[in-house]
Amino acid sequence: MTAQQDIKSRIGPIGLALPLVAFIVITFLMPLANMFKESFYDAEVADALPRTLRLLNAWNGDEIPSEEVFRTIAEEIIVLQENRTIGKIGIRVNRVVSGTRSVWGRTARRVEGVETEDMRTTMVGIDDRWSDLALWQGIKKAGQRYSAKHYLQAVDLSRGDDGSIHRVDTEQRIYNTLYLRTFRVAITVTLLCLLIGYPIAYAIAHAPPTLSKILLFCVLVPFWTSLLARATSWLVLLQSQGVVNDLLVWLGMVPDDGRLSLIRNMTGTLIAMTQNLLPFVVLPTYAVLSSIPPTYMRAAASLGANPVQAFVRVYWPQSLPGIASGCLLVFILSIGFYITPAIVGGPKGQLISNMIAYHINDANNWGLAAAISVIVLLSVMILYIVFDRWVGVDKLKLS
Amino acid sequence: MWNIGKGVLTLFVVLGFIFLLAPLLVVVPLSFNAEPYFTFTEGMLRFESEAYSLRWYRNIFESEEWLRAIQNSFFIGIFATFLATVLGTLAAIGLNDPRLPFRKFVSALIISPIVTPIIVVAVGVYFFYTDIGLGQTYLGIILAHAMIGAPYVVITVSATLANFDYTLLRAAASLGANPWTAFRRVQLPIISRGVITGALFAFINSFDEVVIVVFMAGPKQRTIPREMWSGIREELSPTILAVATLLILLVVLVLITVEVLKSFGEKNKLSAN
């Protein structure tokens, strides 16, 4: 009875969770859904021939459209000719009905200034393909506002003039190269993080309490330090007149005129990303390692195992959950990494995320940016489901 | 033989820590460089006092852009943190209740903003917020930052709730406290460690966030990371190193606070036992 009086029961757990759920739906899920819509949005023809398309919506498709439709499209063609966008529309419709590209230019040149009561006859006179039902159906189809165009472009495919799908020319294939590069970088960074992070986690787990606390703090500070601040530091450290090169020259390991180029290339991206993501391997691995009872190793030793055997057969298998958790996290995060490659990567060290930002900030191609984002998001979601099945999302820890 | 192995391992760990901390350890002294260079001058290496100066720090506090950026960062950070903390704390209490339907699904939904690549979040937020008139506004950035900050609050508060003894609320009720009083006087003080820790993490997160701000902020809303971003990409000035040092200092202060709160909580638990 009294249990029902605490505030939880009064409002109920649903009432408590609901505000944040609603907030996340509005501020996060709806934007993602909108981005998904945007990735299919392609209204070049729809925006060019809005009135014609509205009329064609009511058209039954069995006979040549009415005089009103001809009159409307003639007016819209004249406007397109003035804007010099008629050619683009011709290309788009031609992808649906091939062999109709020249219709548009020819009509546009001749229809301007024509005064007539019968536009239908005039236009068919200019080009008899205007009496072809297939052309009108093609216009209607090309006028749909949604298409997979951006997705084709995002995987280096394009539609030919006849509507067939083929790969773009070799020198224009940029995106598949970038997915592949991102994937390779993610794997490399994950392995480097494991290689460097495992001994660190081991050291923290087995150090005396005070030292262990200090070491853990040394992992947490870079973990929480701004990515920008860390990227700036790497820029300063790794540039050719920077601290690392100065040190190498001073040590005589590198001649002064042969300073290493460690930054604004793939090396820079790999070094900085490994440092950025290292704590994500160290923290979960440490959490698991510190829970392995030391008696196990002693038991292995007393049963005659040498330290290497004891490690390989007893210790390592038990640390696998932490390693799996850390490595998957690093891999997932690497795929979406943007800031660090943008600053230290140079042209050769850019990843797929940098392309998304490019299409938003510089190229103003929102549809393509959205399509690439959806591809990245889906890849991450698949990995995340694997992560959840394998490790459990609720194992995420912050400090 | 085994000792050599141990020595190699120790060396490897030390190198690992140097790698992890190098960017922090180098940027701090360099921010005090009297010369506009990005490497240690001979004077600095000889610890001559005139080789060091505070000129880059003075630069920050004499520049209108940086001052406005600092103001913006705090303004956005404080409001976003407040929103994230209130919503996150309530949700964590709800999530901790086994009677909540679809618990696993709800918790996955709430955590999803921080496991989604930030660039994807930023693209979605940019399109949508621009459509509904929140592009280039403080409100838009605050909402976005609250959204990526709330999961941190939920995670830290949930962690403290896992140890919360619900009989305490019943005890409070039997002593005549109404539910709100019981929450405010009994539950909140006990989980406050988690709430404050979560709030601090949400704040740092907003304070350091740059991708959403790059897309969304107009000239008026430029924050510290936004100024750093253009500074790094246009002309790298040592002022950026001074700013980076201040950001590192902030993180150290926050983490020390979190540690103190943690040991405080452990002491509480001991004395309660």
PDB file of all heavy atoms in Angstrom, chain A residues 78 95 114 173 183:
ATOM      1  N   ILE A  78       8.892  27.246 -72.837  1.00  0.00           N
ATOM      2  CA  ILE A  78       9.456  28.564 -73.149  1.00  0.00           C
ATOM      3  C   ILE A  78      10.232  29.109 -71.946  1.00  0.00           C
ATOM      4  O   ILE A  78      11.342  29.624 -72.076  1.00  0.00           O
ATOM      5  CB  ILE A  78       8.329  29.533 -73.578  1.00  0.00           C
ATOM      6  CG1 ILE A  78       7.770  29.069 -74.925  1.00  0.00           C
ATOM      7  CG2 ILE A  78       8.844  30.963 -73.676  1.00  0.00           C
ATOM      8  CD1 ILE A  78       6.492  29.746 -75.337  1.00  0.00           C
ATOM      9  N   ARG A  95      15.919   9.396 -70.306  1.00  0.00           N
ATOM     10  CA  ARG A  95      16.292   8.182 -69.574  1.00  0.00           C
ATOM     11  C   ARG A  95      15.106   7.253 -69.435  1.00  0.00           C
ATOM     12  O   ARG A  95      15.263   6.062 -69.265  1.00  0.00           O
ATOM     13  CB  ARG A  95      16.814   8.551 -68.184  1.00  0.00           C
ATOM     14  CG  ARG A  95      18.223   9.044 -68.254  1.00  0.00           C
ATOM     15  CD  ARG A  95      18.771   9.285 -66.885  1.00  0.00           C
ATOM     16  NE  ARG A  95      19.997  10.054 -67.020  1.00  0.00           N
ATOM     17  CZ  ARG A  95      20.471  10.850 -66.097  1.00  0.00           C
ATOM     18  NH1 ARG A  95      19.811  10.997 -64.966  1.00  0.00           N
ATOM     19  NH2 ARG A  95      21.586  11.498 -66.292  1.00  0.00           N
ATOM     20  N   VAL A 114       4.682  31.701 -81.022  1.00  0.00           N
ATOM     21  CA  VAL A 114       3.628  31.180 -81.888  1.00  0.00           C
ATOM     22  C   VAL A 114       2.259  31.539 -81.317  1.00  0.00           C
ATOM     23  O   VAL A 114       1.999  31.319 -80.142  1.00  0.00           O
ATOM     24  CB  VAL A 114       3.754  29.643 -82.026  1.00  0.00           C
ATOM     25  CG1 VAL A 114       2.542  29.081 -82.774  1.00  0.00           C
ATOM     26  CG2 VAL A 114       5.033  29.275 -82.731  1.00  0.00           C
ATOM     27  N   ARG A 173      35.031   7.320 -60.251  1.00  0.00           N
ATOM     28  CA  ARG A 173      34.617   6.413 -59.168  1.00  0.00           C
ATOM     29  C   ARG A 173      35.266   6.861 -57.879  1.00  0.00           C
ATOM     30  O   ARG A 173      36.415   6.531 -57.612  1.00  0.00           O
ATOM     31  CB  ARG A 173      35.049   4.981 -59.491  1.00  0.00           C
ATOM     32  CG  ARG A 173      34.145   4.326 -60.510  1.00  0.00           C
ATOM     33  CD  ARG A 173      34.623   2.944 -60.855  1.00  0.00           C
ATOM     34  NE  ARG A 173      34.131   2.594 -62.180  1.00  0.00           N
ATOM     35  CZ  ARG A 173      34.659   1.661 -62.962  1.00  0.00           C
ATOM     36  NH1 ARG A 173      35.718   0.978 -62.551  1.00  0.00           N
ATOM     37  NH2 ARG A 173      34.157   1.420 -64.141  1.00  0.00           N
ATOM     38  N   PHE A 183      36.638   1.411 -44.550  1.00  0.00           N
ATOM     39  CA  PHE A 183      36.616   0.072 -43.979  1.00  0.00           C
ATOM     40  C   PHE A 183      38.031  -0.369 -43.587  1.00  0.00           C
ATOM     41  O   PHE A 183      38.262  -0.868 -42.483  1.00  0.00           O
ATOM     42  CB  PHE A 183      36.020  -0.880 -45.024  1.00  0.00           C
ATOM     43  CG  PHE A 183      35.788  -2.272 -44.521  1.00  0.00           C
ATOM     44  CD1 PHE A 183      34.717  -2.557 -43.689  1.00  0.00           C
ATOM     45  CD2 PHE A 183      36.644  -3.303 -44.888  1.00  0.00           C
ATOM     46  CE1 PHE A 183      34.508  -3.837 -43.228  1.00  0.00           C
ATOM     47  CE2 PHE A 183      36.445  -4.587 -44.428  1.00  0.00           C
ATOM     48  CZ  PHE A 183      35.368  -4.856 -43.594  1.00  0.00           C
TER      49      PHE A 183
END
